[in-house]
Amino acid sequence: MKITVIGTGYVGLVSGACLAEMGNDVLCLDVDAAKIQALEAGRIPIHEPGLDQLVHRNAASGRLHFTTDVERSVHFGTIQLIAVGTPPDEDGSADLGHVLAAARHIGHHMTDYKLIVDKSTVPVGTADRVDAAIADALAGRGVTIPYAVVSNPEFLKEGAAVDDFMRPDRIIVGAEDERAILMMKALYAPFQRNREKLLIMDRRSAELTKYAANAMLATRISFMNELALLAEKLGADIEHVRQGIGADPRIGYHFLYAGCGYGGSCFPKDVRALIRTGAEHEQPLRILRSVEETNAVQKTVLIDKLAARFDNKLSGLNIALWGLAFKPDTDDMREAPSLSIIEELFRRGASVTAYDPAAMNEARRIFRDDPRLRYADRPMQALAGADALVIVTEWKEFRSPDFDAIRSLLKHPVIIDGRNMYEPELPRSAGLEYHGIGRR
């Protein structure tokens, strides 16, 4: 198949590369000329395991191409996959400007049948608006050309996006048009050879499914974070509680880890967008409001623990920070807990020495040349002369540290662990004060 992918951000680039890997001829469009030049030169703008090899292999094979030419991109693909950003507006709603602009461009330039696939995360009813935008553009040209619009939300986890696309647990397609459904079945046939994973539904249900999935996962995280704070008051251990409730097959173990809050480009934005959608339709989503409030509070918990340990006197301290990305295996710092923690430490007069295996360039972009934030080349280097260690991201290389070395490097033998990476007895046996989230 010939496929145009509109947008070379996280979703677009992963989708385009994976579709090319299955033998499709894919053209990726972006209006950012610098990004397209970088991709053509083999430079990948995001950190995602396995993506660079996938892009390089398929570009070299001639199946994956890049362009800034909108008209060329519309003529190229029978399938037009929209994967542009939907950043939040000030009121929390999703900004559909890029999505609708892409739809209008398709309507302005198309000369034969097109299947338009909404891959971006969008509010319920967006497929109808895309449909109308294309119809208006065609009417303005005075032509009638057949097309169909389907909703096909992505379910890619940052840090595992390539594997998620290549081995999906489900493929949601919102469509009523039989030709469109047949084309979507053909498109995804190579990704579901062992069993049927395609779920066909109406477009609005498909759009709501994406928001509902992320909202449910965010809810589980905030629920466990609230329970963890209660466990601390009660003298219980949240890890034991997690294992106990996770053993119930109706609950399961996924997304039951207490920590310092969720971040990234999906959960915060999608929760807010769904809350806004409910408000617009006079159906308040009270649970999700609590989820959002709980997450905001949870991002301050590590600061509270640190302040309590140092009698609220953080001014002049240097804090070692392990982890800047909102989760492992990505360089994404959008709404990461590390941002709230660093800013609050600065406000209280402390400085920070940070280490992250992927996100330090992104941190430099965000904080520029702020002298209060320094960067270490290795985890242990960040500890030299620091007053305490705060762990924010659960990178694998932090799992088995030399606790004796940590104790010798820190001015005060204090670990504040925002991801419950260690059994408390291990650092404590090395003479370290260990403070987790909800641990006894």
Side-chain angles (χ1 to χ4, degrees):
M1 291 185 178
K2 298 188 76 172
I3 303 165
T4 293
V5 177
I6 305 167
T8 60
Y10 187 82
V11 174
L13 188 56
V14 171
S15 299
C18 290
L19 289 169
E21 180 75 0
M22 290 301 179
N24 297 290
D25 199 5
V26 179
L27 177 64
C28 292
L29 167 75
D30 205 294
V31 295
D32 186 337
K35 183 183 287 187
I36 292 299
Q37 288 173 0
L39 287 167
E40 288 178 330
R43 298 192 300 274
I44 309 302
I46 58 176
H47 178 87
E48 181 61 39
L51 181 60
D52 51 352
Q53 298 96 319
L54 205 61
V55 170
H56 295 156
R57 180 166 62 248
N58 285 282
S61 72
R63 291 191 299 269
L64 183 61
H65 323 271
F66 304 98
T67 187
T68 58
D69 187 334
V70 173
E71 185 173 359
R72 176 192 171 199
S73 74
V74 175
H75 292 317
F76 182 86
T78 301
I79 295 177
Q80 299 277 314
L81 195 153
I82 299 176
V84 295
T86 53
D89 277 336
E90 292 182 4
D91 62 1
S93 61
D95 182 352
L96 296 178
H98 299 308
V99 172
L100 297 178
R104 287 190 290 270
H105 288 317
I106 294 169
H108 287 148
H109 297 293
M110 62 187 285
T111 56
D112 55 3
Y113 177 84
K114 300 295 177 185
L115 173 59
I116 296 90
V117 180
D118 282 342
K119 199 72 175 170
S120 302
T121 299
V122 293
V124 176
T126 298
D128 296 340
R129 296 181 64 182
V130 168
D131 206 330
I134 295 171
D136 288 346
L138 292 174
R141 294 168 55 196
V143 298
T144 300
I145 302 171
Y147 69 92
V149 177
V150 305
S151 174
N152 175 218
E154 54 85 16
F155 296 93
L156 306 179
K157 299 186 295 292
E158 291 195 42
V162 171
D163 191 59
D164 284 345
F165 199 103
M166 300 297 281
R167 300 175 182 83
D169 46 23
R170 82 283 206 198
I171 302 165
I172 304 296
V173 172
E176 293 86 19
D177 181 273
E178 284 302 320
R179 181 179 179 182
I181 291 172
L182 287 174
M183 289 180 68
M184 293 301 287
K185 287 182 176 179
L187 179 67
Y188 283 112
F191 301 95
Q192 50 174 345
R193 292 177 63 83
N194 63 337
R195 66 177 176 86
E196 180 65 40
K197 301 175 184 178
L198 208 70
L199 300 175
I200 307 295
M201 58 187 71
D202 62 277
R203 297 190 305 199
R204 288 181 171 243
S205 295
E207 291 166 338
L208 183 55
T209 296
K210 168 63 178 182
Y211 276 123
N214 279 351
M216 173 63 80
L217 297 175
T219 298
R220 286 170 70 100
I221 293 170
S222 283
F223 175 72
M224 288 303 292
N225 283 337
E226 282 207 322
L227 276 188
L229 299 184
L230 178 61
E232 290 182 1
K233 302 286 187 181
L234 298 176
D237 191 321
I238 195 63
E239 270 298 291
H240 295 165
V241 175
R242 180 187 68 80
Q243 293 166 19
I245 64 175
D248 186 331
R250 297 171 301 175
I251 298 172
Y253 291 102
H254 294 297
F255 285 84
L256 289 186
Y257 290 91
C260 52
Y262 60 76
S265 62
C266 295
F267 287 6
K269 176 173 69 73
D270 293 354
V271 167
R272 284 194 291 268
L274 195 52
I275 290 170
R276 179 65 183 175
T277 297
E280 289 172 350
H281 292 81
E282 299 183 352
Q283 181 57 57
L285 301 179
R286 300 178 183 88
I287 290 176
L288 287 188
R289 286 194 178 278
S290 296
V291 167
E292 188 178 35
E293 292 167 5
T294 297
N295 192 59
V297 170
Q298 200 68 18
K299 290 182 179 181
T300 69
V301 165
L302 299 188
I303 295 292
D304 294 340
K305 291 178 177 290
L306 199 61
R309 169 58 180 78
F310 289 97
D311 298 323
N312 285 314
K313 298 173 183 176
L314 300 183
S315 181
L317 297 185
N318 176 247
I319 304 302
L321 203 70
W322 279 3
L324 293 164
F326 86 94
K327 63 179 288 188
D329 296 316
T330 182
D331 59 354
D332 195 343
M333 288 183 63
R334 285 174 286 185
E335 304 210 36
S338 63
L339 296 174
S340 300
I341 291 166
I342 291 171
E343 288 163 1
E344 183 61 19
L345 286 171
F346 287 171
R347 193 186 70 81
R348 296 191 184 211
S351 61
V352 174
T353 302
Y355 170 77
D356 187 288
M360 290 197 290
N361 284 338
E362 179 65 9
R364 289 185 179 98
R365 185 190 67 80
I366 294 169
F367 291 99
R368 300 190 182 276
D369 297 321
D370 195 315
R372 297 170 295 180
L373 178 58
R374 297 185 295 273
Y375 303 94
D377 295 328
R378 298 179 302 279
M380 289 299 180
Q381 187 183 53
L383 307 183
D387 291 280
L389 167 62
V390 175
I391 302 173
V392 184
T393 313
E394 63 276 32
W395 286 94
K396 288 179 181 177
E397 64 183 276
F398 302 156
R399 288 183 181 178
S400 300
D402 184 335
F403 290 114
D404 291 324
I406 291 176
R407 188 179 188 282
S408 68
L409 289 167
L410 291 172
K411 288 183 181 178
H412 305 277
V414 178
I415 296 179
I416 310 291
D417 183 359
R419 297 300 178 187
N420 287 344
M421 294 196 69
Y422 315 119
E423 283 301 315
E425 293 78 9
L426 289 174
R428 287 172 184 163
S429 66
L432 288 157
E433 297 177 35
Y434 178 78
H435 306 269
I437 305 288
R439 305 304 304 271
R440 290 185 66 180

